[in-house]
């Protein structure tokens, strides 16, 4: 007797989910993602999924209350979900088959394992990081991050990649702190970035203001993880990296506009 294998979900290939979804995705991030991050939002009615196993770590955020049936250990079980409930489905782990019988809204956030490792490497043994599956958990912070990302993408499109990346790094840190099999302790820094690293980062920002800067590439200049770079940069400058870049771009636009009228 042949055992049916779980369906492999790849957030980088959202079109392959069409066979299960009655309605198309409303929002879907570019296939390339943002440094290992994927976002999707959709509303569905009366559909079901077989057992699945994702390539990425998938965080599912529910935007309204609903009922669902999950097949756990061969038996269907009914569950009630509230708008502040979320599901966490780690990469390469099997998730149960599920049936939805009501209209519901989903936010899906996909994080590549390498991104979790990148966030973790300064605090734990990154090679042994493992996220614990949560079929249903109450987590207002994850809910808030998901809704903030949705609002930012709807209002600003996919151009605010550095702001989005900062929010996703916060999400990754939260997953490691609350849902990792290892104890994850945030290191406390109080002195900001070393002066030479701050100078290098600022120079890189000013030299590339016309580019689509990412938090990861700026953090690489300082040779630290994006999460710690964002924290230390804010301590040094008083504002977050994405706010600083926006300020620099506004100042440059003012300068260019003034130069135009002088000419």
């Amino acid at each position: 007797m042949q055992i049916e294998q779980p369906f492999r979900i790849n957030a980088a290939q959202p079109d392959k989910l069409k066979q299960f979804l009655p309605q198309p995705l409303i929002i879907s991030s570019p296939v390339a993602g943002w440094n290992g991050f994927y976002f999707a939002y959709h509303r569905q009615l009366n559909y079901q999924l077989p057992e699945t196993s994702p390539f990425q770590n998938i965080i599912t955020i529910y935007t309204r209350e609903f009922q669902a049936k999950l097949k756990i250990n061969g038996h269907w079980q009914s569950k009630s979900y509230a708008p502040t409930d979320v599901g966490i489905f780690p990469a390469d782990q099997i998730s149960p088959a599920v049936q939805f019988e009501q209209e519901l809204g989903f936010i899906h956030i996909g994080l590549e394992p390498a991104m979790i490792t990148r966030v973790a490497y300064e605090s734990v043994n990154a090679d042994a990081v493992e996220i614990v599956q949560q079929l249903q958990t109450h987590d207002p912070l994850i809910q808030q991050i998901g809704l903030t990302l949705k609002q930012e993408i709807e209002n600003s499109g996919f151009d605010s990649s550095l702001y989005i990346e900062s929010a996703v790094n916060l999400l990754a840190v939260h997953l490691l702190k609350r849902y990792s099999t290892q104890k994850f302790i945030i290191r406390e820094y109080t002195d900001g970035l070393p002066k030479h690293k701050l100078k290098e980062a600022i120079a890189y920002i000013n030299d590339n203001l016309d580019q689509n800067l990412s938090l990861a590439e700026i953090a690489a200049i300082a040779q630290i993880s994006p999460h710690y770079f964002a924290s230390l940069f804010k301590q040094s400058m008083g504002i977050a990296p994405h706010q600083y870049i926006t300020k620099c771009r506004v100042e440059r636009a003012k300068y260019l506009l003034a130069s135009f009228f002088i000419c």
Side-chain angles (χ1 to χ4, degrees), residues 186-203:
I186 297 291
R187 291 182 180 179
E188 295 294 336
Y189 295 92
T190 57
D191 298 328
L193 281 168
K195 289 184 179 180
H196 70 283
K197 290 191 175 185
L198 179 63
K199 184 177 179 180
E200 290 172 352
I202 289 176

Side-chain angles (χ1 to χ4, degrees), residues 233-247:
F233 185 93
K234 187 172 183 179
Q235 288 178 25
S236 296
M237 301 298 294
I239 55 177
H242 70 272
Q243 294 172 317
Y244 177 79
I245 291 173
T246 299
K247 180 181 177 182

Side-chain angles (χ1 to χ4, degrees), residues 154-175:
E154 286 176 332
N155 293 339
S156 305
F158 294 102
D159 295 329
S160 5
S161 58
L162 195 136
Y163 175 84
I164 290 169
E165 195 177 350
S166 300
V168 173
N169 272 277
L170 173 61
L171 174 60
V173 169
H174 181 66
L175 290 175

Side-chain angles (χ1 to χ4, degrees), residues 94-108:
I94 297 175
S95 303
V98 60
Q99 295 179 350
F100 303 98
E101 298 176 353
Q102 296 171 276
E103 183 177 359
L104 65 158
F106 285 114
I107 292 171
H108 289 305

Side-chain angles (χ1 to χ4, degrees), residues 2-256:
Q2 185 177 4
I3 299 176
E4 188 173 346
Q5 297 297 313
F7 179 79
R8 293 286 277 165
I9 292 179
N10 189 344
Q13 299 174 336
D15 287 348
K16 291 192 175 181
L17 276 174
K18 287 181 178 179
Q19 59 181 300
F20 300 111
L21 303 180
Q23 302 296 326
L25 296 176
I26 298 172
I27 302 173
S28 181
S29 63
V31 173
W34 296 287
N35 292 305
F37 159 68
Y38 307 91
F39 181 95
Y41 171 69
H42 58 112
R43 290 194 295 265
Q44 302 295 339
L45 176 65
N46 295 336
Y47 84 103
Q48 61 184 29
L49 287 174
E51 282 191 343
T52 56
S53 176
F55 285 94
Q56 296 83 13
N57 298 285
I58 303 296
I59 296 88
T60 301
I61 299 162
Y62 310 111
T63 60
R64 61 171 64 188
E65 63 180 47
F66 65 94
Q67 298 279 333
K69 291 181 179 179
L70 284 74
K71 193 173 186 179
I72 301 173
N73 297 325
H75 301 283
W76 288 99
Q77 300 180 17
S78 295
K79 284 185 175 290
S80 298
Y81 287 81
T84 51
D85 286 340
V86 302
I88 299 171
F89 306 98
D92 301 320
Q93 294 187 27
I94 297 175
S95 303
V98 60
Q99 295 179 350
F100 303 98
E101 298 176 353
Q102 296 171 276
E103 183 177 359
L104 65 158
F106 285 114
I107 292 171
H108 289 305
I109 297 173
L111 303 178
E112 293 284 0
M115 181 179 184
I116 297 290
T117 300
R118 188 167 66 237
V119 171
Y121 84 94
E122 289 187 350
S123 299
V124 297
N125 179 3
D127 294 333
V129 168
E130 182 180 354
I131 304 299
V132 179
Q133 186 180 84
Q134 306 288 326
L135 298 179
Q136 180 185 25
T137 187
H138 180 77
D139 197 315
L141 179 58
I142 292 181
Q143 181 80 4
Q144 181 183 357
I145 292 172
L147 293 174
T148 299
L149 288 170
K150 177 177 177 289
Q151 183 179 34
E152 182 67 20
I153 292 169
E154 286 176 332
N155 293 339
S156 305
F158 294 102
D159 295 329
S160 5
S161 58
L162 195 136
Y163 175 84
I164 290 169
E165 195 177 350
S166 300
V168 173
N169 272 277
L170 173 61
L171 174 60
V173 169
H174 181 66
L175 290 175
L176 288 165
K177 286 180 63 178
R178 185 166 176 181
Y179 301 106
S180 174
T181 55
Q182 293 192 64
K183 187 174 182 180
F184 181 78
I185 301 174
I186 297 291
R187 291 182 180 179
E188 295 294 336
Y189 295 92
T190 57
D191 298 328
L193 281 168
K195 289 184 179 180
H196 70 283
K197 290 191 175 185
L198 179 63
K199 184 177 179 180
E200 290 172 352
I202 289 176
Y204 182 83
I205 289 170
N206 288 324
D207 289 343
N208 294 277
L209 279 177
D210 56 342
Q211 303 298 316
N212 188 16
L213 290 165
S214 76
L215 188 62
E217 68 181 281
I218 304 171
I221 300 298
Q223 298 180 321
I224 56 176
S225 70
H227 168 70
Y228 289 111
F229 173 78
S231 176
L232 297 178
F233 185 93
K234 187 172 183 179
Q235 288 178 25
S236 296
M237 301 298 294
I239 55 177
H242 70 272
Q243 294 172 317
Y244 177 79
I245 291 173
T246 299
K247 180 181 177 182
C248 288
R249 285 172 173 162
V250 169
E251 291 301 320
R252 177 170 290 188
K254 288 180 179 178
Y255 172 78
L256 292 174

Side-chain angles (χ1 to χ4, degrees), residues 252-263:
R252 177 170 290 188
K254 288 180 179 178
Y255 172 78
L256 292 174
L257 189 61
S259 300
F260 175 79
F261 282 112
I262 290 174
C263 294

